[in-house]
Amino acid sequence: MTEPWNADTPQVMQLPSRRRIRGRGLRHDLPEGQTPTFAVHLTDHRPADPPWESVWVPWRDFWLPTDPAEAMTQLRLAYERAAGERVEICCGGGIGRTGTALSAICVFEGMNPREAVKWVRQNYHARAVEVPWQRRFIRQTFAACASGGGRAGQP
């Protein structure tokens, strides 16, 4: 198990389950201090490989992931790994796609889509989830959880 994110680390939000996940914009400098052990990059082009483990989810700015099912799989993996690792979710600016992904992760926590968006806007960034089709992706995540047996990490 890795030392968790410090609670005062910028852009780190603590979920109700006590997992901590950092959201970040790749266009901004890497914050000082702790580094992730695992990152999910939500970008339209494959980013440079960081010195920690990462996955790339093809996702154009202001749009949806190219493969929504694969995106949900990678976000579920990030959620599960956040229980014992420093996980980072990032896109270009760190607001829309990152906020959408963080909202989907909140669905894994058991929140409904509306609660998830509201929670992320209060605890991460006020403009998270920028367009209606990103909210649709969160609803799709909720439907997939409901049909697949519930929250992440549950059988």
Side-chain angles (χ1 to χ4, degrees):
M1 188 154 155
T2 305
E3 180 184 327
W5 288 113
N6 293 329
D8 61 350
T9 301
Q11 299 176 297
V12 168
M13 61 178 219
Q14 182 168 300
L15 300 168
S17 66
R18 309 212 29 91
R19 287 172 169 91
R20 293 179 183 158
I21 298 179
R22 179 169 78 185
R24 180 169 76 89
L26 292 168
R27 289 191 296 261
H28 309 293
D29 291 337
L30 184 66
E32 290 188 27
Q34 294 174 298
T35 58
T37 56
F38 180 69
V40 178
H41 294 152
L42 313 169
T43 58
D44 56 351
H45 294 92
R46 182 180 294 278
D49 288 330
W52 47 82
E53 187 179 353
S54 66
V55 295
W56 173 51
V57 174
W59 191 332
R60 287 179 39 213
D61 199 9
F62 294 104
W63 290 95
L64 296 174
T66 303
D67 184 342
E70 178 62 17
M72 284 185 229
T73 297
Q74 296 301 334
L75 294 174
R76 184 177 293 270
L77 174 63
Y79 174 76
E80 291 169 1
R81 291 183 68 163
E85 297 181 52
R86 289 189 305 273
V87 172
E88 175 178 79
I89 307 293
C90 42
C91 66
I95 300 171
R97 292 169 283 183
T98 296
T100 301
L102 292 171
S103 295
I105 287 171
C106 286
V107 166
F108 301 151
E109 287 273 296
M111 295 180 202
N112 71 45
R114 189 176 302 249
E115 291 170 323
V117 171
K118 182 179 178 183
W119 196 89
V120 170
R121 286 179 173 167
Q122 289 174 340
N123 292 281
Y124 174 68
H125 197 287
R127 291 191 344 253
V129 190
E130 296 175 302
V131 293
W133 38 93
Q134 290 175 337
R135 286 190 292 280
R136 183 175 63 224
F137 174 75
I138 298 161
R139 289 191 303 272
Q140 290 171 339
T141 302
F142 182 77
C145 284
S147 67
R151 299 177 188 166
Q154 291 184 344

